Amino acid sequence: MVSRKLTKIMIFRRKYLLSFLLSSWLVSCTGDFDEINTNPSLVTSDRVDVNNILANVQKNAVFESYESGYMSEFSSYYANQSTIALSNRDWANPFNSYYRNFIVNISEVIRLTDDDPVLVNKNAIARIWKVWLFHQLTDLYGDVPYSEAALGVNEAVNYPKYDTQETIYRDMLNELKEAEQQLSDAGGLLSFGAADLIYNGNVENWRRFANSLRLRLAIRVRFADAGLSAEHIREVISKPLITENSQNAQLETEGAEAANVNNRNPIYNRYVSNTIPMYTTTTVVENLLKRNDPRLPIYVLPAPEPENGDLWRGRPFALALDLEEEPWRNSLMYREELVARLGTLFYQAQYKIKLLTASEVSFLRAEAALAGISGEQPVDLLKSGISLAMQMYNIDAGTIQEYTDQQSELFSAYSAERKFEEIIVQKWLANYFQSKESWAEYRRTGYPLIWVGKQQGDTDGKVPRRLTYPTEEYLRNEKSVKEAVAKLGGRGDHFMSRVWWDAREGLPFDHPRQGMFPPVIP
C-alpha cells in the first residue's frame, strides 16, 4: 500500500529543483547576504533523502499511468461520450510532467547513489525505473530529449537535442542489461526498503522486473529491427523473469479513508468528483463475448436499462451521433442507460495498479516462440498467460482450465497470423486499463481490431499513432523540436505520423464491419 510517508514527501517542482541544483534554496527566509552564503539549513546533496525522491516519483508516475482519458480511448478500453473530434493540439499532454516531475528527479537519485559501493542496489533500481519512465515517454511521442536531458547542474543543456527513438531503445535495452547485472545480494548494502512502493527494496523482484521489461522492449522493436530484437530476447529469455503473480510489478493505492485523498485510486477520485460514467467499448465487449470469457462481468458493469436484453452494449470509438447512418437510431442505441460501464473493481479506492505482470511476460514469450526466436511452445505460453491473468481476478481453477483448453484447441487450428492476433488480444485483455502499454501494442501489431466512427478530426478515421509535441516545447526548444519533426516525414508533428518501432506493414487493419453501422457483428 502507498506509504503514509507520501504525505511528507518533498515535491520537486521545477522552480525548487532548479534552486536545489544551484544549492541556493533556503528552508527559512533571511535578508542577510552573508548568512545566505553560510546558512547550514541549505538543501545540499548530502541532506537530500533519495528514499523520499524515489517514493515520490514512483507514486506519481504509477498513478499517472493508470489513465482514464485519451490514452484509454486510444487503447479501446474506455469510451467517452463527450470526446470531440481529434485534432493536433495540446490536450492532456504528459510531455512536460514526465521531465519535470519524474525524469529530473530519478536522474538525481542516480547521481546521488553513483560510485558508492553500499548504494549499488539503490543506484541499479533507479536506473531501471528511469528506463520504465523513458520507455513510456518515447512510446507516446517518438524522438525525445534523452542523452542531454536531466543532466546535473554542471553539465546541464538548456536546449537538449532530440535523440532518435532507435537510439533511445538501444540504450534502454543496454541500461536494463547492465542494471540487472549490477543488482547484488551481498550483505551490508543499503536498501530503499518501504520507500520502494513497488517491491519494498526486494532485489530479486527488481532483477525479474528488469529482465521482463527488457523482454517487453525487445518485442516492441521486432518489426523495426528484427536483429536487435532477437539478440536481446535470446539473452534475456533464460534469465529470471516475472513468472508468478506474487512477482508482479504493481502499486497498491490507499483506501477511501486515506489521509491524503491523492493516495487513493485515481479512477476512484474521478468517480467521486465526476458523475459521468466510464463507458466500456464495443471492442472490449466483442472480444469477451465471442470467447465466452469469464472476465466479462468483472471487466464490465451491465447497462442499467438494457434494450432487448442487451446487457453488454459497448460504446464505439469516435462515435458521431449526428453523422452515423440512421442518426436517430444511433442516438437511441447509445443513451446513457443503454450502455455498459467499467467494472466496479477498477475504481475501488484501494486498488493494485499493475505495471508488468507474469501474464504479460507469458504472452511476450508466446510471441517470441511463434516468431521462431525461442524454442518454447506458443500454445503452452498462451495457456499460461490466460491462466495467470484470470488468477489475478480469483476466477476458479475449473473455469480457467475449461477456458484455456478450449482456447488452446482453437489456437492449434489457426493460421500463423491468426495465432499472432490471439496472443496479442489475450495480452490486451490481460493488461486491462494499462492503457499506454496497450495503445502502443495496438499500434505495433494492429490488434485488437477497432471499429472507428465518423468523428474523425485529423486522424483520417483511424486511431492515432502518436501524440504531438506540446506548444511550450516549440517556444522553449524550437530548433531541437523542429529537427525532430523533420525526421517524422511528410505529415510532420501529427497524430498519424509513425514512431520508429511502428513499422509493421499493412497497418492499421480495418474492423470487419468498418464503414457499416452498428459496429457489432450480428
Side-chain angles (χ1 to χ4, degrees):
M1 183 179 293
V2 175
S3 170
R4 298 286 179 178
K5 293 181 181 178
L6 287 175
T7 59
K8 301 179 181 179
I9 287 174
M10 298 173 66
I11 306 298
F12 283 84
R13 301 296 184 189
R14 185 173 183 176
K15 61 181 180 180
Y16 298 133
L17 178 66
L18 178 60
S19 300
F20 157 67
L21 292 175
L22 295 175
S23 296
S24 62
W25 179 41
L26 291 178
V27 173
S28 58
C29 297
T30 178
D32 190 299
F33 182 82
D34 291 335
E35 288 185 14
I36 290 177
N37 282 274
T38 58
N39 196 318
S41 63
L42 284 170
V43 179
T44 54
S45 60
D46 60 315
R47 294 174 180 268
V48 173
D49 187 344
V50 295
N51 287 8
N52 283 346
I53 301 177
L54 178 80
N56 178 55
V57 173
Q58 282 186 339
K59 182 261 179 178
N60 288 305
V62 171
F63 275 43
E64 198 274 345
S65 75
Y66 192 48
E67 201 266 349
S68 60
Y70 281 101
M71 266 67 84
S72 294
E73 291 188 76
F74 297 166
S75 65
S76 205
Y77 288 143
Y78 160 56
N80 187 340
Q81 68 175 358
S82 62
T83 294
I84 60 175
L86 297 172
S87 60
N88 293 281
R89 64 188 189 279
D90 287 337
W91 44 259
N93 204 314
F95 187 94
N96 290 326
S97 66
Y98 265 78
Y99 283 108
R100 295 173 183 174
N101 301 331
F102 310 148
I103 291 170
V104 166
N105 285 328
I106 200 64
S107 297
E108 191 63 21
V109 174
I110 294 170
R111 284 189 285 271
L112 291 171
T113 57
D114 201 19
D115 297 326
D116 188 333
V118 300
L119 300 179
V120 63
N121 285 335
K122 287 189 172 186
N123 183 261
I125 289 169
R127 291 174 69 186
I128 295 164
W129 193 246
K130 185 177 180 180
V131 170
W132 184 82
L133 291 168
F134 260 117
H135 133 62
Q136 290 215 333
L137 187 68
T138 185
D139 284 354
L140 294 175
Y141 297 94
D143 298 358
V144 293
Y146 182 76
S147 60
E148 294 182 353
L151 301 178
V153 63
N154 294 324
E155 298 85 26
V157 177
N158 289 329
Y159 309 104
K161 69 178 181 180
Y162 280 56
D163 294 89
T164 65
Q165 187 176 66
E166 178 180 4
T167 300
I168 294 169
Y169 256 81
R170 287 181 177 275
D171 191 71
M172 290 193 301
L173 287 164
N174 288 331
E175 271 290 287
L176 290 172
K177 179 179 180 178
E178 292 176 8
E180 187 270 338
Q181 293 172 344
Q182 180 182 324
L183 289 166
S184 174
D185 297 312
L189 303 179
L190 294 183
S191 169
F192 281 119
D196 170 14
L197 306 178
I198 311 298
Y199 283 130
N200 206 38
N202 185 294
V203 169
E204 180 59 23
N205 281 340
W206 275 103
R207 187 174 286 124
R208 291 179 182 276
F209 177 69
N211 291 330
S212 299
L213 182 57
R214 185 178 166 203
L215 178 60
R216 175 196 277 182
L217 300 191
I219 288 287
R220 182 82 91 242
V221 306
R222 188 164 77 87
F223 296 118
D225 190 329
L228 177 67
S229 175
E231 172 193 344
H232 284 275
I233 290 170
R234 289 179 179 132
E235 284 185 6
V236 81
I237 202 79
S238 60
K239 289 181 175 292
L241 298 167
I242 297 173
T243 56
E244 301 175 4
N245 284 326
S246 62
Q247 301 159 352
N248 289 347
Q250 58 191 19
L251 188 154
E252 187 172 9
T253 72
E254 289 184 349
E257 304 305 317
N260 183 346
V261 297
N262 292 320
N263 290 343
R264 305 183 306 199
N265 179 353
I267 294 185
Y268 170 84
N269 284 343
R270 178 192 186 278
Y271 263 89
V272 169
S273 62
N274 191 338
T275 59
I276 299 175
M278 288 185 65
Y279 300 110
T280 196
T281 68
T282 56
T283 315
V284 169
V285 170
E286 178 183 16
N287 281 286
L288 289 170
L289 281 176
K290 75 179 183 180
R291 291 171 175 80
N292 195 25
D293 196 300
R295 288 169 290 187
L296 177 63
I298 298 171
Y299 283 15
V300 182
L301 192 66
E305 299 179 23
E307 181 182 55
N308 300 322
D310 191 0
L311 293 171
W312 311 110
R313 178 175 293 170
R315 187 179 178 88
F317 177 74
L319 182 68
L321 295 182
D322 59 340
L323 295 177
E324 303 295 344
E325 297 174 12
E326 302 183 35
W328 62 271
R329 182 168 178 262
N330 187 349
S331 299
L332 292 174
M333 284 183 67
Y334 295 103
R335 294 198 311 271
E336 180 175 314
E337 66 271 19
L338 301 183
V339 180
R341 297 102 191 275
L342 175 67
T344 56
L345 171 67
F346 301 93
Y347 55 88
Q348 297 299 308
Q350 187 172 339
Y351 176 77
K352 293 178 181 178
I353 302 176
K354 300 168 185 64
L355 309 176
L356 211 167
T357 65
S359 175
E360 180 185 342
V361 171
S362 285
F363 292 124
L364 293 169
R365 291 164 59 193
E367 180 178 343
L370 184 67
I373 300 171
S374 76
E376 298 183 295
Q377 293 300 314
V379 66
D380 294 339
L381 292 164
L382 177 79
K383 290 179 65 175
S384 172
I386 295 171
S387 296
L388 288 162
M390 291 187 174
Q391 288 166 20
M392 291 191 291
Y393 300 104
N394 299 316
I395 296 173
D396 71 86
T399 301
I400 294 175
Q401 185 67 52
E402 181 180 355
Y403 181 87
T404 54
D405 286 348
Q406 180 186 55
Q407 295 305 311
S408 62
E409 183 177 349
L410 292 170
F411 186 84
S412 298
Y414 290 155
S415 66
E417 181 62 25
R418 182 66 183 84
K419 288 178 179 177
F420 179 60
E421 178 182 1
E422 188 62 23
I423 290 169
I424 300 304
V425 171
Q426 287 289 353
K427 180 167 64 172
W428 175 78
L429 290 170
N431 283 349
Y432 198 50
F433 262 82
Q434 292 184 54
S435 300
K436 291 184 178 68
E437 176 61 22
S438 292
W439 179 37
E441 281 295 271
Y442 166 78
R443 290 177 283 154
R444 180 183 74 90
T445 67
Y447 300 116
L449 301 176
I450 299 175
W451 187 93
V452 182
K454 295 180 180 179
Q455 189 171 245
Q456 299 172 0
D458 288 343
T459 66
D460 304 330
K462 306 296 182 184
V463 177
R465 311 302 294 185
R466 62 182 289 276
L467 298 186
T468 55
Y469 298 122
T471 301
E472 184 177 350
E473 191 67 2
Y474 285 91
L475 298 175
R476 298 192 175 191
N477 195 12
E478 181 181 15
K479 180 176 181 293
S480 295
V481 72
K482 285 186 173 180
E483 288 175 352
V485 169
K487 297 174 186 175
L488 285 168
R491 304 191 77 166
D493 191 8
H494 194 277
F495 279 140
M496 301 311 293
S497 295
R498 300 193 177 214
V499 301
W500 168 69
W501 50 249
D502 183 1
R504 193 175 191 215
E505 294 183 1
L507 300 185
F509 300 139
D510 284 339
H511 186 276
R513 285 188 60 81
Q514 188 59 48
M516 295 180 280
F517 184 83
V520 178
I521 297 175

CSV table of all heavy atoms in Angstrom, one decimal, residues 96 134 189 192 236 301 426 444 447 511:
chain,number,residue,atom,x,y,z
A,96,ASN,N,5.7,17.4,-20.5
A,96,ASN,CA,6.4,18.2,-19.5
A,96,ASN,C,6.4,17.6,-18.1
A,96,ASN,O,7.4,17.6,-17.4
A,96,ASN,CB,5.8,19.6,-19.5
A,96,ASN,CG,6.1,20.5,-20.7
A,96,ASN,OD1,7.2,20.3,-21.3
A,96,ASN,ND2,5.2,21.3,-21.1
A,134,PHE,N,11.2,6.5,-19.4
A,134,PHE,CA,11.6,6.9,-20.7
A,134,PHE,C,10.9,6.0,-21.8
A,134,PHE,O,10.5,6.5,-22.9
A,134,PHE,CB,13.1,6.9,-20.9
A,134,PHE,CG,13.7,8.3,-20.8
A,134,PHE,CD1,14.6,8.6,-19.9
A,134,PHE,CD2,13.3,9.3,-21.7
A,134,PHE,CE1,15.2,9.8,-19.8
A,134,PHE,CE2,13.9,10.6,-21.7
A,134,PHE,CZ,14.8,10.8,-20.7
A,189,LEU,N,24.5,-3.9,2.2
A,189,LEU,CA,24.1,-2.9,1.2
A,189,LEU,C,22.9,-2.2,1.6
A,189,LEU,O,21.9,-2.9,2.2
A,189,LEU,CB,23.9,-3.6,-0.2
A,189,LEU,CG,25.1,-4.3,-0.8
A,189,LEU,CD1,24.7,-4.9,-2.1
A,189,LEU,CD2,26.3,-3.4,-0.9
A,192,PHE,N,16.3,0.6,-0.3
A,192,PHE,CA,15.2,1.6,-0.2
A,192,PHE,C,14.1,1.1,0.8
A,192,PHE,O,13.4,2.0,1.3
A,192,PHE,CB,14.5,1.8,-1.6
A,192,PHE,CG,15.3,2.6,-2.6
A,192,PHE,CD1,15.8,2.1,-3.8
A,192,PHE,CD2,15.5,4.0,-2.3
A,192,PHE,CE1,16.5,2.9,-4.6
A,192,PHE,CE2,16.2,4.8,-3.2
A,192,PHE,CZ,16.7,4.3,-4.3
A,236,VAL,N,17.8,-12.7,-22.8
A,236,VAL,CA,17.1,-12.5,-21.5
A,236,VAL,C,16.1,-13.6,-21.3
A,236,VAL,O,15.6,-13.7,-20.1
A,236,VAL,CB,16.3,-11.1,-21.6
A,236,VAL,CG1,15.0,-11.2,-22.4
A,236,VAL,CG2,16.1,-10.5,-20.2
A,301,LEU,N,-19.6,-3.6,-16.2
A,301,LEU,CA,-20.8,-3.5,-15.4
A,301,LEU,C,-21.9,-3.4,-16.4
A,301,LEU,O,-21.9,-2.5,-17.3
A,301,LEU,CB,-20.8,-2.2,-14.6
A,301,LEU,CG,-21.8,-2.1,-13.5
A,301,LEU,CD1,-21.7,-3.1,-12.4
A,301,LEU,CD2,-21.7,-0.7,-12.9
A,426,GLN,N,-5.3,-11.6,-26.3
A,426,GLN,CA,-5.3,-12.1,-24.9
A,426,GLN,C,-4.4,-11.2,-24.0
A,426,GLN,O,-4.8,-11.0,-22.9
A,426,GLN,CB,-4.9,-13.6,-24.9
A,426,GLN,CG,-5.9,-14.5,-25.5
A,426,GLN,CD,-7.1,-14.7,-24.6
A,426,GLN,OE1,-7.1,-14.2,-23.4
A,426,GLN,NE2,-8.1,-15.4,-25.0
A,444,ARG,N,1.7,-1.2,-32.7
A,444,ARG,CA,2.8,-2.1,-33.2
A,444,ARG,C,2.2,-3.3,-34.0
A,444,ARG,O,2.8,-3.7,-35.0
A,444,ARG,CB,3.6,-2.6,-32.0
A,444,ARG,CG,4.7,-3.5,-32.4
A,444,ARG,CD,5.5,-4.1,-31.2
A,444,ARG,NE,4.7,-5.1,-30.5
A,444,ARG,CZ,4.8,-6.4,-30.7
A,444,ARG,NH1,5.6,-6.9,-31.7
A,444,ARG,NH2,4.1,-7.2,-30.0
A,447,TYR,N,-3.6,-5.1,-33.5
A,447,TYR,CA,-4.7,-5.8,-32.8
A,447,TYR,C,-4.8,-5.2,-31.4
A,447,TYR,O,-3.9,-4.7,-30.8
A,447,TYR,CB,-4.3,-7.3,-32.7
A,447,TYR,CG,-4.2,-8.0,-34.0
A,447,TYR,CD1,-3.0,-8.5,-34.4
A,447,TYR,CD2,-5.3,-8.1,-34.9
A,447,TYR,CE1,-2.9,-9.1,-35.7
A,447,TYR,CE2,-5.2,-8.7,-36.1
A,447,TYR,CZ,-4.0,-9.2,-36.5
A,447,TYR,OH,-3.9,-9.8,-37.7
A,511,HIS,N,-11.6,-3.1,-39.0
A,511,HIS,CA,-12.5,-4.0,-38.3
A,511,HIS,C,-13.4,-4.6,-39.4
A,511,HIS,O,-13.7,-3.9,-40.5
A,511,HIS,CB,-13.4,-3.1,-37.4
A,511,HIS,CG,-14.3,-4.0,-36.5
A,511,HIS,ND1,-15.5,-4.4,-37.0
A,511,HIS,CD2,-14.2,-4.5,-35.3
A,511,HIS,CE1,-16.1,-5.1,-36.0
A,511,HIS,NE2,-15.3,-5.1,-35.0
